Amino acid sequence: TWGVAVEGVELTEAYWRANFEGPVLLSPSVTHLAGLGHRNFVELSPHAILRPFLEATLTGLEDGPAVVLPAQLRDADGRATALRALGRLFTLGAPVRWRAVSPVADTPAPLLLPLSARSEEALRAAAERHRDVLRAQPTNSRDLCFSATFHREHHDRRMVVAARSRDELADKLDAFVGGEVLEGVTSARRSPRAGRAVFVFPGQGSQ
């Protein structure tokens, strides 16, 4: 509403009245946050209608590009979309509370497999090893994801695979090993400016 950072105690009834009656100063707020060094933005809405606007606002930053991710997309699986955004944030180096998102029970929830290595070659080798384990051994796919999440050191070269089944997970790893990146797979080098994500709740839209 004001285009600047405010403390929680300042969000009084006067603030919220101004929020409903006046324009939301989204562009100045996003520019201000970028000026503070934030580079990872997640739009919190049922459908990411502001993503092009946010990307245009953040274009041309002097010390590195920004990433804008949708938390949800219309007609898409909600949890899978959120996990893909989370995976992308992990590959960029943002801190992730894995225990809040990694199911250990054998439920129908999507699988999320994070892998990392010190080089691109080592990362592909790790993907190949996990593919072979999924295809050759009766390992529980959720146990495999859990071990990769909590019992491995996370290096700078990272990838995350989101899948609905053991076979899909193995197929996506196989494609990555062969140089093809399928939907639900993201790979990147950890950004030297890695930090917390900015969650953008558009409220009244871009105005």
Side-chain angles (χ1 to χ4, degrees):
T1 299
W2 297 332
V4 296
V6 296
E7 298 293 334
V9 294
E10 299 179 62
L11 304 180
T12 62
E13 61 274 13
Y15 171 88
W16 291 111
R17 178 174 179 175
N19 179 270
F20 281 111
E21 294 179 348
V24 177
L25 303 179
L26 185 59
S27 180
S29 299
V30 171
T31 302
H32 176 71
L33 289 167
L36 295 176
H38 295 288
R39 291 294 179 271
N40 303 323
F41 293 77
V42 181
E43 182 180 344
L44 297 179
S45 63
H47 181 66
I49 59 173
L50 296 183
R51 188 177 179 185
F53 166 79
L54 293 170
E55 289 175 341
T57 302
L58 295 165
T59 297
L61 297 175
E62 294 182 357
D63 53 353
V67 174
V68 181
L69 301 168
Q72 296 291 291
L73 292 171
R74 187 182 296 114
D75 299 326
D77 182 281
R79 181 174 172 83
T81 302
L83 287 178
R84 282 194 292 269
L86 182 67
R88 178 62 172 157
L89 289 173
F90 167 73
T91 63
L92 294 169
V96 175
R97 292 174 54 206
W98 288 112
R99 292 192 180 276
V101 297
S102 180
V104 293
D106 195 9
T107 66
L111 299 163
L112 189 69
L113 175 66
L115 298 176
S116 68
R118 291 186 172 87
S119 68
E120 179 69 23
E121 294 75 17
L123 185 63
R124 292 191 184 279
E128 186 174 11
R129 287 195 303 274
H130 282 75
R131 176 205 64 190
D132 293 343
V133 168
L134 286 167
R135 288 183 170 175
Q137 301 178 20
T139 303
N140 184 292
S141 54
R142 296 201 180 280
D143 289 346
L144 185 73
C145 293
F146 185 86
S147 295
T149 301
F150 297 110
H151 301 302
R152 300 289 186 273
E153 183 179 355
H154 296 307
H155 302 289
D156 286 348
R157 198 68 182 87
R158 302 179 174 191
M159 70 172 293
V160 170
V161 183
R164 275 289 181 183
S165 67
R166 177 194 185 97
D167 289 341
E168 182 184 348
L169 188 61
D171 289 344
K172 288 183 175 181
L173 287 169
D174 185 60
F176 180 81
V177 171
E180 181 182 4
V181 178
L182 301 180
E183 182 181 1
V185 180
T186 182
S187 173
R189 181 176 294 279
R190 180 182 181 274
S191 170
R193 296 183 59 87
R196 294 180 177 179
V198 174
F199 293 93
V200 181
F201 180 67
Q204 300 177 35
S206 61
Q207 298 204 16

